[in-house]
Amino acid sequence: MVNAVITPKGNLDILSKREIAGLQDSNTSVYKDLFRNCALAVMSTGANSDDGHELLARHADFKIEVLSSARGVQLKVNNAPKNAFVGGQIIEGIRSHLFAVLRDIVFLQGQVEIWQENGESITDMVFKTLRHAKALKPRKKPNLIVCWGGHSINKVEYDYTKEVGYRLGLRSLDICTGCGIGAMKGPMKGAAIAHAKQRITDARYIGITEPGIIASEAPNAVVNELIIMPDIEKRLEAFVRLGHGIVVFPGGAGTAEEILYILGVLLNEKNQGINVPLIFTGPKESKAYFEQMDTFIGETIGAEAQKLYTIIVDDPIAVAKHMKKSMKKVYKNRRELDDAFFYNWSLTIEKPFQHAFEPSHKNMSALNLNTDQDPASLAADLRRAFSGIVAGNVKPYGIQAIKDNGPYTLDGDPKLMASLDKLLNSFVEQRRMKLSGEYTPCYKLVS
């Protein structure tokens, strides 16, 4: 364990005395524990675990405090994980991530409250959060590829994500992921090698996370821009507003949540004229995974949803070529819509996909998992169901809720529930729910 005082570089290094005073309030505010837990997560980068509850327990004596100096703000840490330091100095990437946590969890919280009081739309709030993080790059043509997929994937699938990332990087495409391990790390790692080969010095590896999941998916070492959105819904909106194309690798409940989110948004008739290239891909060993996912989508939200994506199996070059070609179409589409390249304002995202869902036992059992509704609405509630399963699997508060009250109950149309049961069982059998250990379901299905 290490004790140290850390100064910023690049994030929050120029602040007024009033702003510093506001940050110091975090030492006693309601954000204190949240800030501390997220800071611990980024300082634990490299830990091979997806159990946020266990991480917090292992470092129960970790402390962090905001200090004020004549030159600005500083962070004092006690009993910090030693892997965050080399030769007594904090690793520069972790320093950057640490102050990104301070920026998004503490500095912006007051701003978010003001925006809410002033009736700002959620889309505007997402925009301003990304702008504060300096993630919006004007006068740059579309080239940011969002990569979704599971943290608990096997080596064959992980190597495939690296190869896809490498092929994307060779074509000067940047990468944005959920910032964790597995399918979130692989594309960045592959792209980093390709960017080095192409002598690209300003490559972007953007990691977008949220407080509830960061402890179980700490930023991987390749992330050079870390952004922490207030909740999963704002995180998902940030992905689709910021990115120009989406590649989905194999995954578990979290990946299913992401798929249902983007399909639910694109099923909105207001979005029919908006170009969002979407590819599902994996090695030949994962072909069954995408067949199962495609079948589930067809049986639940319908054939129209199946038309919104392209499945490419075991061909990283084809994936990269498809995305590179699609960037020209996205560029043309944004110009026709008179929309920004750095933020997709034209995309309509309805409130069911924006409002934060609390995965309590009561809320999970109240989800409308029946087919007598429009596909977009069903997609919204199915997404919430998977979001709750993610919480019960890896988020500290979700794990505790399951320990205290038993598994979540999901109820709905018998045919739909049978399809859901089949998909979830395949995730368990393929060990897509947890990195290690036997998996005990945090849910039970009834109909």
Side-chain angles (χ1 to χ4, degrees):
M1 299 299 177
V2 178
N3 300 329
V5 175
I6 304 165
T7 56
K9 285 184 182 179
N11 277 316
L12 304 181
D13 45 0
I14 302 178
L15 296 173
S16 71
K17 290 185 177 181
R18 183 174 181 180
E19 288 171 327
I20 293 172
L23 288 175
Q24 283 190 285
D25 289 343
S26 66
N27 295 329
T28 57
S29 76
V30 294
Y31 308 121
K32 179 180 179 181
D33 289 341
L34 183 60
F35 172 52
R36 180 251 182 205
N37 295 345
C38 290
L40 173 60
V42 302
M43 297 191 81
S44 301
T45 296
N48 190 29
S49 171
D50 63 349
D51 191 334
H53 197 269
E54 187 272 336
L55 173 67
L56 297 177
R58 191 169 70 249
H59 296 279
D61 55 354
F62 170 73
K63 295 180 181 179
I64 186 166
E65 181 182 359
V66 179
L67 304 179
S68 172
S69 75
R71 294 184 300 277
V73 67
Q74 295 177 320
L75 293 175
K76 179 182 179 182
V77 295
N78 293 100
N79 302 313
K82 64 180 181 180
N83 63 281
F85 299 83
V86 173
Q89 299 294 318
I90 190 165
I91 296 170
E92 286 301 318
I94 293 179
R95 181 203 303 269
S96 173
H97 292 168
L98 195 56
F99 281 93
V101 171
L102 183 64
R103 178 197 68 214
D104 294 341
I105 298 298
V106 180
F107 185 70
L108 274 187
Q109 287 297 334
Q111 294 293 323
V112 169
E113 290 173 359
I114 292 172
W115 298 337
Q116 290 174 332
E117 290 171 4
N118 291 341
E120 296 273 4
S121 73
I122 289 175
T123 296
D124 282 348
M125 290 169 59
V126 171
F127 172 84
K128 290 178 178 178
T129 302
L130 294 174
R131 185 175 63 185
H132 271 280
K134 301 177 183 177
L136 306 178
K137 305 294 183 183
R139 296 174 294 280
K140 187 172 184 178
K141 291 184 178 180
N143 82 323
L144 184 62
I145 308 304
V146 172
C147 294
W148 286 337
H151 69 290
S152 180
I153 58 175
N154 60 46
K155 188 177 186 304
V156 172
E157 291 173 340
Y158 176 70
D159 288 343
Y160 183 83
T161 69
K162 285 198 298 183
E163 184 64 20
V164 171
Y166 178 74
R167 298 299 172 177
L168 293 170
L170 287 178
R171 290 162 176 80
S172 301
L173 298 172
D174 290 332
I175 305 295
C176 176
T177 78
C179 92
I181 56 177
M184 291 166 279
K185 179 180 178 181
M188 289 185 170
K189 198 168 184 180
I193 296 171
H195 290 151
K197 281 192 173 184
Q198 294 285 32
R199 302 301 187 261
I200 297 171
T201 58
D202 60 348
R204 307 182 71 194
Y205 312 104
I206 304 173
I208 304 178
T209 186
E210 54 97 8
I213 207 166
I214 190 172
S216 55
E217 290 180 3
N220 68 68
V222 189
V223 172
N224 62 7
E225 297 181 45
L226 175 64
I227 304 166
I228 305 171
M229 303 302 294
D231 52 55
I232 189 64
E233 287 76 14
K234 313 305 182 294
R235 180 196 195 195
L236 289 168
E237 181 161 353
F239 279 127
V240 301
R241 299 281 186 193
L242 190 63
H244 302 115
I246 301 173
V247 174
V248 183
F249 296 104
T255 305
E257 176 184 8
E258 291 162 341
I259 289 172
L260 288 162
Y261 178 88
I262 188 59
L263 293 180
V265 168
L266 294 179
L267 282 169
N268 189 322
E269 61 181 12
K270 297 176 184 177
N271 294 325
Q272 288 185 358
I274 299 176
N275 193 310
V276 181
L278 176 62
I279 296 175
F280 296 174
T281 190
K284 60 180 180 295
E285 292 84 355
S286 304
K287 183 179 179 180
Y289 169 85
F290 289 108
E291 290 175 344
Q292 291 165 343
M293 184 59 68
D294 185 53
T295 298
F296 175 77
I297 291 168
E299 291 176 347
T300 55
I301 55 178
E304 287 303 309
Q306 292 174 303
K307 297 177 183 177
L308 297 171
Y309 52 85
T310 301
I311 299 177
I312 300 176
V313 176
D314 206 37
D315 197 340
I317 295 176
V319 173
K321 284 183 175 179
H322 188 290
M323 272 300 168
K324 184 64 176 180
K325 186 177 181 180
S326 295
M327 292 303 97
K328 295 179 180 179
K329 296 178 181 179
V330 172
Y331 174 86
K332 182 180 179 181
N333 185 237
R334 299 281 180 98
R335 291 295 297 268
E336 290 173 346
L337 296 170
D338 193 26
D339 203 354
F341 297 143
F342 56 81
Y343 194 79
N344 192 342
W345 290 104
S346 298
L347 202 64
T348 297
I349 301 180
E350 303 288 1
K351 287 184 167 64
F353 292 94
Q354 290 187 313
H355 288 171
F357 173 69
E358 179 188 352
S360 65
H361 283 71
K362 178 180 178 181
N363 290 341
M364 288 286 280
S365 63
L367 293 174
N368 182 9
L369 303 181
N370 294 285
T371 54
D372 59 347
Q373 56 183 316
D374 66 273
S377 296
L378 177 56
D381 266 8
L382 279 170
R383 183 206 69 81
R384 294 185 181 109
F386 282 106
S387 186
I389 292 171
V390 172
N393 284 348
V394 301
K395 296 184 180 181
Y397 69 84
I399 294 171
Q400 191 60 50
I402 299 302
K403 285 184 177 180
D404 293 342
N405 303 298
Y408 297 125
T409 298
L410 296 171
D411 190 4
D413 178 87
K415 185 177 178 180
L416 186 151
M417 298 307 287
S419 183
L420 178 60
D421 186 45
K422 184 176 180 181
L423 183 68
L424 289 171
N425 283 336
S426 73
F427 290 168
V428 176
E429 291 168 3
Q430 297 166 21
R431 304 189 69 83
R432 298 189 184 279
M433 292 295 205
K434 291 283 288 181
L435 273 176
S436 60
E438 291 300 316
Y439 177 68
T440 300
C442 64
Y443 59 87
K444 62 179 179 180
L445 307 182
V446 297
S447 60

